[in-house]
Amino acid sequence: MRTWEFDGQSVIRIGRADDNDVVVIDPLVSRLHAELLFDEAGQWRIVSVGRNGTWVDGEQVSEPRSLGHGMVVQLGSNGPWMEFREGRRELRGGETLSPLNDLSMPQIDEELIKAEVSRIADGERFEDLRKQAQEIKRTRETNPGDD
């Protein structure tokens, strides 16, 4: 599981491009996919700017939306997801953190991504595409030169 920690930032950019604060390499993620904004009221808000959309707890974001601890942000309808966390994380043995005022940790669960890819690959649509590809290959083998 990947974790990002931020201290004192009021804008956190999420996307595929290297200049984002959170870089997510996935074909469903836009170069700049979403922004987390810390507003005057002390709330984190998410703004979706990616072409494949952004969802929070299963609902598509169409305008800036407040985020709270434990909410799940998904990049694209079937894309990777992150859990938004606020506050300090607990220290593990042998680990040291410098003092932080406010800490947010979007996360991507790579095991969930692998399971989702596996589910898609084992699904009916993928099997239909595989059968179509095999039929095209058979047709080309029995009728060479008809390409």
Side-chain angles (χ1 to χ4, degrees), residues 52-73:
N52 290 322
T54 304
W55 279 254
V56 173
D57 287 345
E59 294 181 23
Q60 189 168 9
V61 175
S62 56
E63 56 187 50
R65 176 177 174 165
S66 292
L67 283 178
H69 184 77
M71 289 182 146
V72 174
V73 175

Side-chain angles (χ1 to χ4, degrees), residues 65-137:
R65 176 177 174 165
S66 292
L67 283 178
H69 184 77
M71 289 182 146
V72 174
V73 175
Q74 187 170 9
L75 307 175
S77 62
N78 292 311
W81 63 274
M82 304 173 207
E83 182 180 34
F84 180 81
R85 295 185 186 176
E86 288 186 284
R88 295 175 188 242
R89 66 183 175 98
E90 292 183 24
L91 294 177
R92 296 181 195 108
E95 188 176 40
T96 305
L97 289 178
S98 58
L100 301 173
N101 294 332
D102 184 56
L103 182 65
S104 299
M105 298 181 289
Q107 296 183 349
I108 293 179
D109 187 333
E110 293 184 24
E111 291 302 316
L112 182 66
I113 292 171
K114 288 177 186 175
E116 183 70 12
V117 167
S118 201
R119 184 187 66 78
I120 291 168
D122 294 339
E124 290 179 26
R125 178 71 179 138
F126 192 77
E127 187 59 34
D128 289 345
L129 291 172
R130 189 180 326 200
K131 288 177 184 176
Q132 289 174 5
Q134 288 171 344
E135 184 60 34
I136 290 169
K137 184 178 178 184

Side-chain angles (χ1 to χ4, degrees), residues 5 26-27 48 61 106 122 142:
E5 299 177 10
D26 186 282
S48 178
V61 175
D122 294 339
T142 58

Side-chain angles (χ1 to χ4, degrees), residues 5-20:
E5 299 177 10
F6 301 97
D7 179 33
Q9 286 182 245
S10 59
V11 177
I12 298 169
R13 291 178 175 81
I14 302 170
R16 201 177 63 237
D18 290 337
D19 61 344
N20 288 299

